[in-house]
Structure formats: C-alpha cells, structure tokens
C-alpha cells in the first residue's frame, strides 16, 4: 500500500521545515539585539567605550548567550564575553547579566588585557555590530 499525502499536508510539512528554522533564527537575532543594546547601555553607564565593548562581544561570541569554546588547555570559555572557566567559581557565566558585568569589571581593572586573544578582531572595523543597535531589531 502506497501512502499518498494531500497537497495540504505537503504544504504543511514544507512550511514546518521552512518556517520553524526561520522562527528560531529570528528569536536568536532578537536575543542578539537585546544583548547588544544591554552591553551598549551598561558600558555607557560605567564610562567604558561602548563601541569597543560591542566589538569585543561580537568577536568573542557574536552576542550569543550560550556560546562555548573549549581551549587547548582544557579550560572553557562561556557566554557573551567568553568568560574563562578559571573564573566560573565566582559567577554563573551562562547568565548574560553576570557575564556582561564580569567583563565590565575586567575592563575596569585591567583595561582590555583579558581580551587580547581576540584583539585583532575587535580592533578592526566592525560595521556589522551597528545593525544590532537598530530600534526595529
């Protein structure tokens, strides 16, 4: 017995495969906009260069809250600013607020020294970050 799908069912299945990934991509993009704006505002409040903070976060994680990187030395970098596991005992690196606040504290204490590994990335022009500050995002 051959199973035949009606055109309506075929369209529904096609929509599920095409629309669901777009919804999740839109949700991620919206989250990235929120994170970028939060970083920008917190940097301004702390009198830290907000554009450099945005560029660092972009280079470290593309503004993704759940970004993870396992280093060669087996430590793990987590979150928006890729806070290293050496520092995880003091905070929840998956909490974007704690991640951002910890990055701000590092910059205030040690300037940008803790982000030197990605310096060539964030010292370069990064026009793509401005789309995340757009009000319609």
């Amino acid at each position: 017995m051959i199973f035949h799908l009606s055109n309506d069912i075929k369209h529904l299945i096609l929509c599920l495969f095409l629309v669901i990934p777009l919804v999740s991509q839109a949700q991620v993009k919206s989250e990235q906009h929120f994170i970028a704006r939060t970083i920008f505002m917190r940097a301004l409040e702390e009198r830290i260069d907000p554009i450099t903070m945005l560029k660092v976060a972009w280079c470290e994680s593309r503004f993704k809250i759940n970004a993870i990187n396992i280093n060669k030395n087996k430590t793990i970098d987590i979150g928006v600013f890729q806070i290293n596991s050496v520092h995880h005992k003091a905070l929840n690196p998956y909490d974007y607020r704690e991640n951002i606040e910890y990055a701000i504290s590092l910059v205030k204490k040690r300037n940008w020294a803790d982000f030197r590994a990605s310096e060539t990335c964030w010292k370069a022009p990064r026009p793509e970050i401005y789309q995340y500050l757009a009000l319609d995002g």
Side-chain angles (χ1 to χ4, degrees), residues 76-116:
I76 301 170
D77 298 333
I78 298 175
V80 178
F81 283 96
Q82 293 291 277
I83 305 300
N84 189 275
S85 58
V86 170
H87 308 290
H88 293 181
K89 296 165 194 73
L91 74 145
N92 175 0
Y94 293 103
D95 181 324
Y96 74 90
R97 293 168 299 224
E98 288 187 40
N99 201 281
I100 292 168
E101 293 305 316
Y102 193 77
I104 287 170
S105 73
L106 290 174
V107 171
K108 288 176 103 174
K109 287 178 193 168
R110 298 170 34 92
N111 209 355
W112 302 100
D114 292 285
F115 300 102
R116 292 291 181 234

Side-chain angles (χ1 to χ4, degrees), residues 6-116:
S6 71
N7 281 339
D8 289 339
I9 300 292
K10 288 178 187 175
H11 287 114
L12 178 61
I13 292 170
L14 182 62
C15 284
L16 289 174
F17 282 105
L18 294 177
V19 174
I20 289 175
L22 293 177
V23 170
S24 62
Q25 287 175 1
Q27 183 179 2
V28 168
K29 185 113 174 161
S30 175
E31 184 176 272
Q32 290 169 305
H33 280 260
F34 175 77
I35 294 301
R37 291 178 193 144
T38 302
I39 292 166
F40 188 85
M41 294 307 297
R42 285 297 298 126
L44 283 176
E45 291 167 2
E46 295 295 330
R47 300 177 190 259
I48 296 171
D49 176 9
I51 300 303
T52 302
M53 284 296 285
L54 286 172
K55 288 164 70 173
V56 169
W58 173 257
C59 292
E60 293 288 344
S61 70
R62 302 295 192 260
F63 305 131
K64 293 180 183 162
I65 294 171
N66 295 323
I68 296 176
N69 180 56
I70 299 172
N71 299 307
K72 291 177 184 175
N73 66 0
K74 305 295 185 215
T75 60
I76 301 170
D77 298 333
I78 298 175
V80 178
F81 283 96
Q82 293 291 277
I83 305 300
N84 189 275
S85 58
V86 170
H87 308 290
H88 293 181
K89 296 165 194 73
L91 74 145
N92 175 0
Y94 293 103
D95 181 324
Y96 74 90
R97 293 168 299 224
E98 288 187 40
N99 201 281
I100 292 168
E101 293 305 316
Y102 193 77
I104 287 170
S105 73
L106 290 174
V107 171
K108 288 176 103 174
K109 287 178 193 168
R110 298 170 34 92
N111 209 355
W112 302 100
D114 292 285
F115 300 102
R116 292 291 181 234

